[in-house]
């Protein structure tokens, strides 16, 4: 586990664990500051001490190799892993150069020294100043709070109100400083990854220009440099998206902090001042403790913690609560007090003091006080929507029509899906398209709606659904493969999860992914690569129910999931899934047991054909009319180009082999009626064919009912027509295109296959690829 995310809601609790997390972040930034200082010093040595180049160079390389970035959360993206490893890669390059004695350190001041020093002074220095201000505000607030709590309740009401207002003002100011400081800490933690590495990258590029004898090494470095630039750019893009989400969350918490106070049905927590009685004549004292109350067991855990003593945590004391009674000011000259009857100490009453009237009410209800006072509930992720978007037929039609118009008119528009339309026009268009009472809008002929308005409306529709397209329930399952595992296992896991989506969700997601793959195929014109589309659609298609900083930090993994879906949409939306159980998939995944669910004819077919290669379906030869006849009203383009391997982090994986993924690319092609040797999964029952990305199936074209009524002799030798193209993999099989006519067609001894003649050659024909004449 790396550094813990700093939740904004914890700024209002200011718990000991929260302070420990802040210290961990501060220690990491101090380490980074020391690292940059050391790197800067070493760089100057390289410039001024050319004669000692060897020693300084090795020292510099060692410094790079030993440092490693810490990260927020429980996992890193592939980009972040590459960035983390980049310093070790740089160290290796330097050592190679030193071994060859060809290293020449010149002109590194502009490319390395100044950017690092600028980052250290402008960003890390700012954090140090923020820390001092935060500590100062902590001291001021808690001093004023204690002064307020020590005031006599017998003072005049105006005096008490004035004191309350002053403390409340200081509390708000302290919490404002706390929010700003926490946000700044996490921003610098994320920023340092590319701010430190980019100058190093520029430095290496500058150094290599001065080496004649290091030319070959520079060529090797060039490939790594391009990959790292993509890693950095992807990380920067995700950083920008994450930062905007974090600022939005901070803004909402700042507006209604009480809604974000961390509570749960199991326990509640916060600070209380506990009265500790002493033997006469010393009276009593009040000690601030951080208390956690477990409701079911009625156990109160108390730990002493003083913010002004360096945050030292005392021992934890636990007591069992019997009852809770409000203590009036007539009995004790202090406000916000409670009397707790403790079962552990019969006859002993523990008196505690809350921090405010609202806090007093909160503890009263939590501890089962007699006064029925409500407390604040945690807030879940639920965006307000002015549009009632549903995943119904009208919504599906809107998605199809939008995609059709975008691909027809705007597929080459620069910044497609990133350039947003006018908000009022976008909402108006979406309202018209999904409103049953409105007149039908023809996007293909209307000049009122430009492409950016249509793309923005499509994104708004996806965001306005009651539940994300990829559902709340499968959010963690989708995120999990993106956090680890091999590229092949990621694709396999996401393949399975897509088929666990509800039917309509899967259908819409399939249409959208096919469209986005087409958009990315035109990235030379529209500049929208797979990685860029992942940034745009990651938060749109999937999000968690609970809105926290930790959830926002998973945005980068949402982008990776969408990148995989775009790049491998044809494999992902194949009907079949590998029989090999993927360890990254939930145990409940229905595809774990698919091998056992084969029908008896299919099992027999597998036995009969296990030593024969399977004819490969060739989608490139499929006539466009056959595609349109299936019923795809969207008119989506079928000529898709495979994506480049360096456009996204998910593309670092190699494509799955034919034995692991179906070779069928076209959504409307029939499945093969046999399984080849070594394949995990290549097909389903012979009488069914896939009908598009929705996963629906329909009977394939085979012998008609009237054929079955004829005597066997009438169908033993007939003509047949090919309705799908096929490419043979074995000498005994026939290759053919759509429309080919077969003569002397008879039933083969092997189930699912026919025998016939084509152009003077006789061979095997897949039965579900032809129709009898």
């Amino acid at each position: 586990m790396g550094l813990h995310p700093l939740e904004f809601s914890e700024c209002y609790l200011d718990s000991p664990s929260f302070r420990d997390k802040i210290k961990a972040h501060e220690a990491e930034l101090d380490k980074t500051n020391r690292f940059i200082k050391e790197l800067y010093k070493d760089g100057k040595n390289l410039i001024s001490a050319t004669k000692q180049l060897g020693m300084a160079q090795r020292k510099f390389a060692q410094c790079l190799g030993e440092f490693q970035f810490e990260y927020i959360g429980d996992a890193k993206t592939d980009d972040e892993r590459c960035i983390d490893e980049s310093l070790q890669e740089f160290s290796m390059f330097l050592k190679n150069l030193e071994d060859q004695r060809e290293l020449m350190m010149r002109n590194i001041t502009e490319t390395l020294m100044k950017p690092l020093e600028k980052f250290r002074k402008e960003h890390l220095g700012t954090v140090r100043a923020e820390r001092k201000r935060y500590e100062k505000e902590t001291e001021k607030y808690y001093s004023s709070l204690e002064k307020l709590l020590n005031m006599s309740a017998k003072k005049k009401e105006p005096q008490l109100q004035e004191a309350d207002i002053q403390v409340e003002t200081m509390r708000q100011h302290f919490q404002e400083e706390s929010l700003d400081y926490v946000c700044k800490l996490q921003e610098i933690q994320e920023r340092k990854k590319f701010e430190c590495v980019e100058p190093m990258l520029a430095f290496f590029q500058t150094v290599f220009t001065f080496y004649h004898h290091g030319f070959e090494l520079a060529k090797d470095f060039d490939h790594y440099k391009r990959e790292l630039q993509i890693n950095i750019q992807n990380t920067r893009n995700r950083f920008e998206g994450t930062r905007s989400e974090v600022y939005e969350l901070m803004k909402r918490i700042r507006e209604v902090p009480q809604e974000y106070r961390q509570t749960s049905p199991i326990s509640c927590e916060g600070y209380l001042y506990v009265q500790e009685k002493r033997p006469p004549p010393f009276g009593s004292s009040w000690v601030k403790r951080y208390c956690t109350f477990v409701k079911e067991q009625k156990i109160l855990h108390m730990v002493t913690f003083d913010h002004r003593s360096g945050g030292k945590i005392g021992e934890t004391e636990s007591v069992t609560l019997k009852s809770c009674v409000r203590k009036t000011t007539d009995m004790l000259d202090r406000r916000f007090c409670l009397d707790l009857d403790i079962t552990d100490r019969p006859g002993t009453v523990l008196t505690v003091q809350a921090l405010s009237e609202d806090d007093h009410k909160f503890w009263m209800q939590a501890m089962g006080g007699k006064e029925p006072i409500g407390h604040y509930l945690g807030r879940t992720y639920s965006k307000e929507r002015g549009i009632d978007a549903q995943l119904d037929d009208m919504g599906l039609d809107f998605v199809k029509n939008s995609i059709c118009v975008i691909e027809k008119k705007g597929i080459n528009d620069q910044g497609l899906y990133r350039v947003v339309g006018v908000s009022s026009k976008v909402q108006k268009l979406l309202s018209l398209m999904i409103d049953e009472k409105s007149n039908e809008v023809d996007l293909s002929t209307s000049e009122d709606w430009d492409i950016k308005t249509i793309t923005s409306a499509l994104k708004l529709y996806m965001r306005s659904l009651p539940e994300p397209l990829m559902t709340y329930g499968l959010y963690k399952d989708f995120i999990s493969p993106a956090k680890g595992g091999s590229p092949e296992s990621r694709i396999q896991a996401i393949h399975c999860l897509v088929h666990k989506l509800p039917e309509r969700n899967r259908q819409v997601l399939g249409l959208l992914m096919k469209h986005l793959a087409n958009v990315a195929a035109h990235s030379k014109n529209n500049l929208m690569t797979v990685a860029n589309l992942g940034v745009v659609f990651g938060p749109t298609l999937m999000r968690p129910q609970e809105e926290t900083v930790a959830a926002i930090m998973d945005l980068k993994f949402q982008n990776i999931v969408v990148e995989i879906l775009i790049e491998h949409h044809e494999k992902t939306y194949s009907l079949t899934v590998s029989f090999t159980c993927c360890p990254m998939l939930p145990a409940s995944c229905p595809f774990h047991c698919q091998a056992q669910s084969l029908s008896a004819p299919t099992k027999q077919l597998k036995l009969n054909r296990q030593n024969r290669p399977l004819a490969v379906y060739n989608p490139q030869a499929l006539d466009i009319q056959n595609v349109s006849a299936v019923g795809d009203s969207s008119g989506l383009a079928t000529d898709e180009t495979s994506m480049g391997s360096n456009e996204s982090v998910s593309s670092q994986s190699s494509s799955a082999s034919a034995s692991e993924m179906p070779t069928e690319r076209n959504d409307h092609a029939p499945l093969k009626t046999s399984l080849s040797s070594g394949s995990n999964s290549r097909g389903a029952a012979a009488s069914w064919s896939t009908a598009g990305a929705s996963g629906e199936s329909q009977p394939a074209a085979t012998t008609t009912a009237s054929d079955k009524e004829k005597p066997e002799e009438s169908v033993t030798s007939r003509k047949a027509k090919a309705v799908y193209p096929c490419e043979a993999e074995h000498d005994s099989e026939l290759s053919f295109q759509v429309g080919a006519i077969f003569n002397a067609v008879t039933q083969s001894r092997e189930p699912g296959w026919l025998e016939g003649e084509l152009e003077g050659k006789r061979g095997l024909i897949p039965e579900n690829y032809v129709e009898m004449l």
Side-chain angles (χ1 to χ4, degrees):
M1 182 69 181
L3 296 173
H4 291 279
L6 299 175
E7 299 292 349
F8 291 127
S9 56
E10 292 190 82
C11 295
Y12 294 87
L13 289 176
D14 203 17
S15 65
S17 61
F18 174 64
R19 288 292 181 140
D20 281 344
K21 294 176 185 177
I22 288 181
K23 282 189 173 182
H25 280 260
E26 292 172 345
E28 169 60 19
L29 291 182
D30 288 339
K31 184 175 71 170
T32 303
N33 186 61
R34 291 193 299 270
F35 160 70
I36 294 178
K37 281 186 175 181
E38 185 71 15
L39 203 61
Y40 185 82
K41 177 182 176 182
D42 291 340
K44 294 200 69 173
N45 288 338
L46 291 175
I47 296 173
S48 62
T50 306
K51 292 182 181 180
Q52 300 178 357
L53 180 61
M55 181 179 63
Q57 192 77 335
R58 292 187 182 276
K59 175 72 167 58
F60 190 66
Q62 182 181 1
C63 181
L64 288 175
E66 291 178 351
F67 183 79
Q68 187 175 9
F69 291 117
E70 292 291 345
Y71 60 93
I72 298 176
D74 59 354
K76 294 183 286 189
T77 64
D78 290 346
D79 288 315
E80 290 172 332
R81 290 190 186 96
C82 292
I83 290 177
D84 290 345
E85 295 167 359
S86 62
L87 297 182
Q88 284 73 27
E89 293 291 333
F90 294 146
S91 177
M92 180 187 67
F93 285 132
L94 283 175
K95 290 177 181 178
N96 291 338
L97 289 173
E98 173 56 28
D99 292 339
Q100 299 175 26
R101 298 286 182 177
E102 298 172 346
L103 187 60
M104 224 182 257
M105 301 298 294
R106 294 181 182 179
N107 299 329
I108 67 171
T109 301
E110 295 296 327
T111 60
L112 174 67
M113 313 302 290
K114 288 185 178 180
L116 285 178
E117 187 67 5
K118 180 180 179 181
F119 171 72
R120 188 180 69 85
K121 289 182 178 180
E122 292 184 2
H123 296 285
L124 296 180
T126 302
V127 172
R128 295 172 69 92
E130 289 281 346
R131 183 195 303 183
K132 292 180 180 180
R133 187 157 56 248
Y134 178 65
E135 292 174 349
K136 183 178 178 181
E137 290 299 326
T138 299
E139 173 66 25
K140 288 172 60 178
Y141 167 64
Y142 284 105
S143 296
S144 62
L145 180 62
E146 289 193 359
K147 184 177 179 181
L148 172 70
L149 296 176
N150 286 325
M151 288 182 64
S152 173
K154 296 180 180 178
K155 289 184 177 291
K156 295 181 179 180
E157 186 63 24
Q159 291 178 316
L160 294 175
Q161 291 180 356
E162 182 179 359
D164 287 344
I165 292 173
Q166 289 178 351
V167 172
E168 177 63 19
T169 301
M170 298 191 71
R171 181 188 66 79
Q172 292 178 357
H173 187 65
F174 164 71
Q175 291 173 347
E176 290 280 339
E177 288 292 335
S178 180
L179 287 170
D180 291 337
Y181 182 54
V182 165
C183 183
K184 193 68 176 178
L185 278 178
Q186 297 189 111
E187 178 181 342
I188 298 301
Q189 292 286 12
E190 292 294 300
R191 180 185 289 274
K192 66 181 181 180
K193 297 178 182 178
F194 53 82
E195 291 283 3
C196 292
V197 175
E198 274 189 319
M200 291 303 309
L201 191 61
F203 156 73
F204 272 87
Q205 187 61 35
T206 302
V207 167
F208 279 128
T209 59
F210 290 93
Y211 298 134
H212 174 71
H213 298 289
F215 179 70
E216 291 298 326
L217 185 59
K219 287 200 303 183
D220 295 339
F221 177 78
D222 191 62
H223 176 71
Y224 177 77
K225 179 198 73 174
R226 288 196 300 269
E227 289 187 348
L228 187 57
Q229 284 176 329
I230 294 173
N231 298 141
I232 293 172
Q233 188 59 45
N234 290 343
T235 303
R236 184 190 294 276
N237 291 342
R238 292 175 184 133
F239 164 77
E240 295 296 340
T242 301
R243 183 173 64 171
S244 63
E245 292 288 335
V246 168
Y247 275 108
E248 283 296 321
L249 176 59
M250 183 175 68
K251 179 181 177 181
R252 289 192 292 271
I253 290 182
R254 185 174 283 162
E255 292 173 352
V256 282
Q258 66 275 13
E259 291 189 12
Y260 288 84
R261 178 165 184 174
Q262 288 187 335
T263 60
S264 73
I266 301 173
S267 64
C268 57
E269 53 186 306
Y271 282 101
L272 290 172
Y273 278 79
V274 181
Q275 184 183 35
E276 294 187 353
K277 298 180 180 179
R278 300 178 181 176
F282 299 106
S284 62
S285 63
W286 295 83
V287 181
K288 182 178 65 176
R289 295 189 173 185
Y290 193 80
C291 301
T292 302
F293 181 66
V294 182
K295 297 178 182 179
E296 185 175 352
Q297 290 84 14
K298 291 190 174 183
I299 298 177
L300 180 66
H301 303 285
M302 302 177 292
V303 57
T304 304
F305 183 80
D306 191 350
H307 294 84
R308 298 171 300 177
S309 62
K312 185 177 181 181
I313 302 177
E315 295 182 358
T316 301
E317 180 183 0
S318 300
V319 295
T320 303
L321 184 67
K322 182 178 181 181
S323 63
C324 172
V325 180
R326 182 189 187 107
K327 198 174 188 70
T328 63
T329 55
D330 297 337
M331 303 175 61
L332 181 64
D333 190 16
R334 294 175 78 97
R335 297 184 299 165
F336 320 137
C337 291
L338 303 168
D339 277 345
L340 309 181
D341 191 0
I342 307 302
T343 59
D344 311 68
R345 311 169 190 169
T348 301
V349 175
L350 184 65
T351 302
V352 298
Q353 183 180 24
L355 305 184
S356 65
E357 183 63 31
D358 288 338
D359 199 45
H360 180 263
K361 294 176 181 178
F362 169 78
W363 285 108
M364 277 289 290
Q365 182 183 1
M367 294 183 177
K370 297 180 181 179
E371 299 180 15
I373 301 175
H375 64 86
Y376 304 119
L377 298 176
R379 185 169 184 258
T380 58
Y381 195 107
S382 178
K383 294 188 176 181
E384 296 182 1
R385 297 189 275 277
I387 297 177
D388 183 21
Q390 299 294 331
L391 206 59
D392 51 14
D393 291 340
M394 293 193 67
L396 179 59
D397 290 340
F398 169 60
V399 173
K400 290 182 177 180
N401 293 334
S402 299
I403 291 175
C404 181
V405 174
I406 294 167
E407 295 204 348
K408 182 178 179 181
K409 297 183 178 180
I411 195 69
N412 292 315
D413 288 4
Q414 286 194 5
L416 188 65
Y417 285 109
R418 262 201 167 168
V419 179
V420 297
V422 179
S423 178
S424 57
K425 292 183 65 177
V426 172
Q427 293 195 8
K428 181 180 179 181
L429 172 60
L430 182 56
S431 299
L432 290 174
M433 294 298 294
I434 65 176
D435 188 358
E436 296 180 354
K437 299 179 181 179
S438 65
N439 296 327
E440 184 176 351
V441 179
D442 189 352
L443 295 177
S444 61
T445 60
S446 176
E447 300 295 334
D448 297 334
W449 314 107
D450 53 18
I451 292 299
K452 63 183 179 182
T453 300
I454 298 174
T455 56
S456 299
L458 181 57
K459 291 189 294 182
L460 179 60
Y461 169 74
M462 296 295 177
R463 289 196 301 269
S464 301
L465 293 173
E467 185 178 31
L469 192 61
M470 297 172 71
T471 71
Y472 289 130
L474 292 176
Y475 174 79
K476 291 184 179 179
D477 294 335
F478 272 112
I479 287 293
S480 181
K483 292 184 176 181
S486 65
E488 290 78 10
S489 64
R490 291 183 183 182
I491 299 171
Q492 190 177 12
I494 291 176
H495 185 180
C496 174
L497 292 170
V498 165
H499 288 273
K500 291 186 70 178
L501 289 170
E503 183 69 24
R504 180 54 60 88
N505 296 56
R506 185 168 69 252
Q507 182 181 11
V508 174
L509 184 64
L511 290 172
L512 186 61
M513 290 303 106
K514 183 177 180 181
H515 164 62
L516 294 181
N518 194 23
V519 172
H522 293 78
S523 60
K524 288 186 178 180
N525 297 322
N526 59 38
L527 306 182
M528 293 304 293
T529 62
V530 173
N532 291 338
L533 291 171
V535 171
V536 172
F537 280 91
T540 301
L541 300 180
M542 57 189 303
R543 62 179 182 269
Q545 271 187 295
E546 186 178 3
E547 185 180 23
T548 63
V549 173
I552 293 175
M553 290 302 172
D554 278 344
L555 274 177
K556 51 196 174 186
F557 299 110
Q558 298 174 24
N559 302 344
I560 290 174
V561 172
V562 174
E563 290 170 14
I564 293 174
L565 286 171
I566 295 174
E567 277 195 308
H568 305 281
H569 73 282
E570 293 171 345
K571 298 175 184 177
T572 304
Y573 276 86
S574 299
L575 182 62
T576 55
V577 181
S578 173
F579 290 159
T580 304
C581 292
C582 178
M584 303 174 66
L585 295 177
S588 59
C589 179
F591 296 102
H592 275 280
C593 56
Q594 187 180 5
Q596 285 72 29
S597 65
L598 287 173
S599 62
T602 306
K603 290 182 178 179
Q604 182 65 34
L605 189 59
K606 179 177 179 181
L607 179 64
N608 293 342
R609 294 281 295 167
Q610 62 182 353
N611 295 322
R612 287 178 47 78
L614 177 66
V616 176
Y617 167 61
N618 181 9
Q620 300 300 331
L622 181 61
D623 190 275
I624 188 65
Q625 295 178 355
N626 292 326
V627 179
S628 303
V630 180
D632 186 356
S633 61
S634 67
L636 300 183
T638 58
D639 183 17
E640 298 183 5
T641 306
S642 59
M643 302 309 305
S645 61
N646 63 341
E647 293 299 325
S648 72
V649 66
S650 64
S651 64
Q652 295 174 12
S653 63
S654 59
S655 299
S657 64
S659 63
E660 294 175 337
M661 291 294 177
T663 59
E664 286 78 10
R665 289 167 51 106
N666 190 281
D667 293 336
H668 311 296
L671 294 174
K672 291 300 177 181
T673 62
S674 63
L675 301 172
S676 64
S677 177
S679 297
N680 289 332
S681 175
R682 294 291 301 269
S687 61
W688 295 93
S689 64
T690 307
S694 65
E696 297 176 356
S697 298
Q698 61 184 20
T702 55
T703 306
T704 62
S706 61
D707 294 332
K708 296 180 181 179
E709 295 174 359
K710 298 178 181 179
E712 184 177 355
E713 291 78 16
S714 64
V715 294
T716 55
S717 179
R718 298 181 54 186
K719 289 186 177 183
K721 180 181 178 181
V723 294
Y724 297 101
C726 182
E727 184 177 326
E729 284 190 346
H730 195 271
D731 292 338
S732 62
E733 300 169 359
L734 295 177
S735 297
F736 50 87
Q737 301 298 325
V738 175
I741 302 298
F742 303 92
N743 297 314
V745 177
T746 59
Q747 193 73 32
S748 173
R749 288 176 296 178
E750 296 192 58
W753 290 78
L754 302 173
E755 292 183 8
E757 291 182 1
L758 178 65
E759 297 177 354
K761 181 181 178 180
R762 188 167 185 82
L764 292 172
I765 309 166
E767 186 176 11
N768 59 335
Y769 273 56
V770 301
E771 62 180 5
M772 304 303 295
L773 298 178

